[in-house]
Every structure is written in C-alpha cells, then in structure tokens.
C-alpha cells in the first residue's frame, strides 16, 4: 500500500494511557516515553502509510543491516507548551532538512516532508499531556531512521524504517559541566560523516568521553583530526568561546564537513548578529583560547544543542593546563538562552518565524 496523502497516517490509540504512572517530578533525560510513536517503512522502493501507534518494543532479525553496518541517522527536537496550553515546535524544518542530508550521506532514501513534519505534529497533539511545563521542560522528540533489510552483505539496505518517539524532558546535564580539550582521539575527519547526525558518530565518542569523565570532565571538545590544533564541537553540543567581548565558534558545512550544523548554534549566530554581539564564525585555534585563558581574556565557554539547550562550561582543561570559568555578570550564555527560550515558550514575539504552532 502506498501512502495516501489525504489520509496520511493510520492512527491506533493506546487503550490505557501510562500517564498516571509517570513521575514528572523526577525527569531523567531520555528515560520516560510517551504513549505513542510513529513508524513508517520504506519497502520495495516506496514509502508505506505511516502508523501512529502505542509506544512498544518492535522486533528485528539479527541480520537487519542496521546492526552490522550502522546505517542509522537520527534527530533531536523539542515540543513546548505555553501558559495557555498551546503547542509549539522550534524550527522543525531545519531538522527535516538535516535528517535528509544525513540520510543522503549514509546512502538512505529521503524521508517525505509530510511524514516527518506532519507526523511529529500528529504525535505531539496526541501526546500533548506528556509535555511537562516546569521551567526549561519540554517534550524531547527523537526521530531515528534505520536500515532494516535482513542481509549481511556490506551494501545499502533495500528497506528502511523511520521511528519517532517522544520523551518528557528537563535538563540534559544534571550538574555542572567541565570540559577537556581532546588531543589524541578524533570524532570526525574531512570528507567523513561528522556533519551528519549519524548514530555511529556518537558511539565513536563514548570511549574517549568516558576516559575524560574518569578525570572529572563530563565532555570533551573535539579538535581537528589532522593536527589537533582547532576546536570543533563537543559531541552533544556545538561550542562557543567568548574572548573579551568577541564570540567565536567554528564553521560547519560547507566550510567544514566535520561539525554538526546545530539548530541552536544557527539561532545563536542569528541573534548575535541582530543584537550587536561581535561574533566570528571561523576556525578557532586551541592556542588562541588557551592563551586567552592564561591572560584572563577568556570570559566564557558555552555549549549549544537541542537537548542541552545553552550550557555554560565551568572549567576547561588542556594537557597540563586547567582553568575555572566563573560565571560572568553579563553572561552571553544567559542572554542567548533567555532570548531563545522566550521564543520557544511563546513569551515574546518571534520575528524570525522559528516558532511553529501545532493546531
Ligand atoms: C540533541 O541535542 O538533540 C542531540 O541529539 C544530542 C544527543 C546526544 C542528546
């Protein structure tokens, strides 16, 4: 059956909501899932009608290609509820563009816009009571797109599945975050998949990041794989450096194929340009940031990502050098966080059209 765009989704609602058993007072990121999920299959060169159905385990044969060759990409987005109970997404079109860019790089067919964007809207409407409304809380939406063909030849799959799930979310990082500049391992290389939200990019970070954690650093900042001289991203976040009052961040595609083009990152760059913040998007040298820290000119480092939002980094390590990064009275991290959250939660006008209402 091919997709009938007039009747885009087959919807099977849960018979007994799990909501009454959910503990919203103690939200751990990504552990609790709402009542429904979306599942859409690409089979025989065609997208099949997507189903919205109760969140549940799905079974796969051990030979499914995703398990062998990691043909898998994903996205991270959030739905917000304002004080009137209206529902919003933040720049979902950017996530749609990015998942298809990631899919193309991994040899996967493009996802139709109406399945992704309209599917997420349907899912959020159905599970709107799962959107927590405490400060900074939202419904984290996780689309994941995988290769499902049962065959172990190393070639692109002939069938795929898109699944979209939703999880009530508070903070991604529960405590303060200190960061270490990585000078041995690499996350990405030129011409590779660093710019894609490929599942394997995250797996490749776990071992070095766990080593950093043992030293008291919750994340690493990756550096370029050739010389380890340029600062790139932190894996779960893009990174911004404030030296005196100038903000610096590394370029993504097309200048660099190694760094994920984050939606929060792009929003900060736009807001900086429109609010008189001096910002440069260019390769940032490790040496430049470490020297600035040594001579007192490094005022802030902050991460930017959908899950993490905007996260001040409170300590930086590079080789034998360590510095605390005390909070600034005129924190840029706070400035951008407030600006972006005011738009996301419908507290101010949105001159950019970033906030998309779900009707
Ligand atoms: C996000 O910020 O949405 C991400 O996908 C990062 C992930 C590691 C939680």
């Amino acid at each position: 059956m091919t997709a009938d765009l007039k009747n885009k989704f087959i919807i099977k609602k849960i018979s007994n909501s799990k909501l009454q058993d959910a503990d919203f007072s103690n939200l751990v990121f990504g552990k609790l899932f709402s009542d429904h999920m979306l599942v859409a299959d690409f089979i025989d060169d065609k997208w099949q009608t997507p189903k919205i159905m109760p969140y549940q385990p799905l079974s796969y044969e051990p030979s499914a290609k995703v398990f062998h060759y990691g043909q898998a990409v994903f996205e991270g987005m959030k739905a917000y509820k304002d004080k009137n109970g209206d529902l919003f997404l933040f720049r979902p079109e950017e996530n749609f563009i990015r998942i298809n860019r990631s899919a193309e790089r991994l040899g996967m067919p493009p996802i139709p816009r109406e399945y992704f964007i309209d599917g997420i809207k349907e899912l959020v409407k159905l599970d709107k009571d799962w959107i927590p409304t405490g400060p900074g809380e939202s419904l984290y939406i996780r689309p994941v797109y995988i290769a499902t063909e049962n065959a172990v030849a190393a070639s692109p799959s002939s069938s795929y599945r898109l699944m979209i799930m939703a999880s009530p979310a508070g903070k991604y990082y529960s405590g303060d975050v200190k960061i270490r500049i990585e000078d041995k391992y690499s996350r990405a290389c030129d011409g590779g998949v660093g710019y894609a939200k490929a599942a394997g990019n995250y797996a490749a970070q776990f071992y070095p990041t766990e080593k950093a954690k043992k030293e008291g650093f919750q994340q690493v900042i990756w550096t370029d794989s050739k010389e380890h001289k340029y600062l790139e991203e932190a894996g779960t976040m893009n990174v911004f450096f404030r030296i005196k009052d100038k903000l610096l961040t590394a370029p993504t595609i097309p200048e660099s194929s190694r760094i994920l083009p984050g939606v929060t990152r792009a929003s900060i760059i736009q807001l900086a340009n429109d609010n008189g913040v001096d910002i440069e998007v260019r390769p940032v040298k490790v040496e430049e940031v470490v020297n600035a820290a040594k001579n007192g000119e490094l005022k802030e480092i902050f991460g930017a990502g959908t899950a993490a939002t905007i996260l001040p980094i409170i300590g930086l390590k590079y080789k034998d050098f360590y510095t605390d990064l005390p909070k600034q009275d005129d924190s840029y991290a706070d400035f951008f966080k407030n600006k972006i959250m005011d738009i996301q939660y419908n507290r101010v006008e949105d001159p950019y059209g970033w906030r998309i209402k779900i009707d």
Side-chain angles (χ1 to χ4, degrees):
M1 183 170 49
T2 51
D4 171 356
L5 296 185
K6 275 206 191 116
N7 191 2
K8 272 182 282 195
F9 306 103
I10 296 166
I11 300 182
K12 185 175 181 306
K13 291 191 190 168
I14 199 162
S15 37
N16 285 315
S17 171
K18 301 173 295 180
L19 197 55
Q20 67 279 1
D21 301 325
D23 181 5
F24 275 45
S25 63
N26 187 22
L27 289 174
V28 177
F29 183 90
K31 286 282 208 187
L32 178 66
F33 293 93
S34 70
D35 280 334
H36 298 93
M37 65 180 177
L38 178 146
V39 176
D41 285 315
F42 181 87
I43 301 171
D44 295 337
D45 280 333
K46 284 190 216 83
W47 281 97
Q48 314 294 308
T49 304
K51 298 185 189 83
I52 296 179
M53 57 190 193
Y55 180 86
Q56 61 191 272
L58 300 172
S59 65
Y60 297 91
E61 288 194 24
S63 58
K65 281 199 171 176
V66 64
F67 301 135
H68 304 263
Y69 305 115
Q71 213 185 357
V73 300
F74 71 97
E75 270 303 323
M77 325 164 51
K78 281 176 174 170
Y80 306 88
K81 194 184 272 182
D82 74 1
K83 61 178 179 355
N84 303 318
D86 288 332
L87 315 175
F88 302 93
L89 296 172
F90 184 69
R91 309 188 74 179
E93 207 69 39
E94 299 302 319
N95 299 90
F96 170 64
I97 292 168
R98 191 170 64 184
I99 199 166
N100 276 343
R101 195 191 291 128
S102 303
E104 180 184 41
R105 180 64 182 81
L106 270 81
M108 305 166 79
I111 298 166
R113 184 184 179 284
E114 53 277 13
Y115 293 172
F116 187 86
I117 303 273
D118 298 351
I120 286 170
K121 287 181 180 171
E122 286 301 318
L123 183 64
V124 172
K125 273 197 282 188
L126 206 54
D127 284 351
K128 63 178 182 338
D129 294 341
W130 286 84
I131 307 181
T133 51
E137 292 180 344
S138 59
L139 187 68
Y140 184 75
I141 300 163
R142 169 54 64 86
V144 60
Y145 183 32
I146 61 167
T148 51
E149 186 188 354
N150 299 317
V152 295
S155 56
S157 180
S158 61
S159 59
Y160 295 90
R161 175 169 279 176
L162 168 69
M163 295 171 281
I164 306 180
M165 64 206 93
S167 172
K171 285 185 172 165
Y172 184 79
Y173 289 99
S174 50
D176 287 336
V177 174
K178 293 181 181 174
I179 212 153
R180 173 163 77 58
I181 296 175
E182 180 60 54
D183 60 352
K184 178 175 178 197
Y185 299 100
S186 298
R187 172 188 173 274
C189 62
D190 288 334
V193 297
Y195 70 91
K197 220 162 162 56
N201 284 345
Y202 293 78
Q205 302 182 85
F206 292 161
Y207 175 67
T209 307
E210 286 304 308
K211 287 179 85 127
K213 275 189 195 155
K214 288 195 183 116
E215 295 167 31
F217 299 90
Q218 290 68 32
Q219 273 293 328
V220 301
I221 302 183
W222 298 101
T223 49
D224 67 285
S225 56
K226 274 191 203 139
E227 300 179 290
H228 297 292
K229 279 191 179 161
Y230 292 93
L231 295 157
E232 310 230 294
E233 59 154 277
T236 56
M237 308 174 283
N238 294 113
V239 193
F240 289 76
F241 306 89
R242 175 180 173 190
I243 296 182
K244 294 196 269 189
D245 285 341
K246 188 189 288 287
L247 203 52
L248 302 171
T249 196
T252 60
I253 48 168
E255 289 86 354
S256 167
S257 56
R258 300 185 304 264
I259 301 177
L260 187 86
V263 179
T264 312
R265 170 190 177 277
S267 308
I268 291 172
I269 294 170
Q270 174 86 55
L271 287 167
N273 284 322
D274 294 351
N275 286 275
V277 175
D278 186 9
I279 181 161
E280 287 179 9
V281 180
R282 58 155 172 87
V284 183
K285 278 194 166 165
V286 174
E287 192 184 24
E288 176 180 9
V289 169
V290 171
N291 285 344
K294 286 180 180 163
N295 65 29
E297 289 177 351
L298 178 66
K299 291 200 184 167
E300 288 181 75
I301 300 179
F302 56 90
T306 297
T309 68
I310 293 177
L311 182 84
I313 304 299
I314 67 148
L316 174 73
K317 178 156 164 69
Y318 177 59
K319 296 189 191 285
D320 295 334
F321 172 77
Y322 174 78
T323 184
D324 282 321
L325 292 163
K327 189 161 167 51
Q328 300 291 309
D329 291 338
D330 65 339
S331 155
Y332 281 10
D334 284 354
F335 173 78
F336 291 114
K337 188 170 178 178
N338 292 334
K339 282 255 173 219
I340 290 179
M341 287 176 68
D342 282 348
I343 292 178
Q344 290 169 332
Y345 289 88
N346 193 25
R347 295 194 285 246
V348 296
E349 284 302 304
D350 170 15
Y352 302 106
W354 289 344
R355 184 174 59 226
I356 304 299
K357 187 159 187 235
I358 303 178
D359 291 313

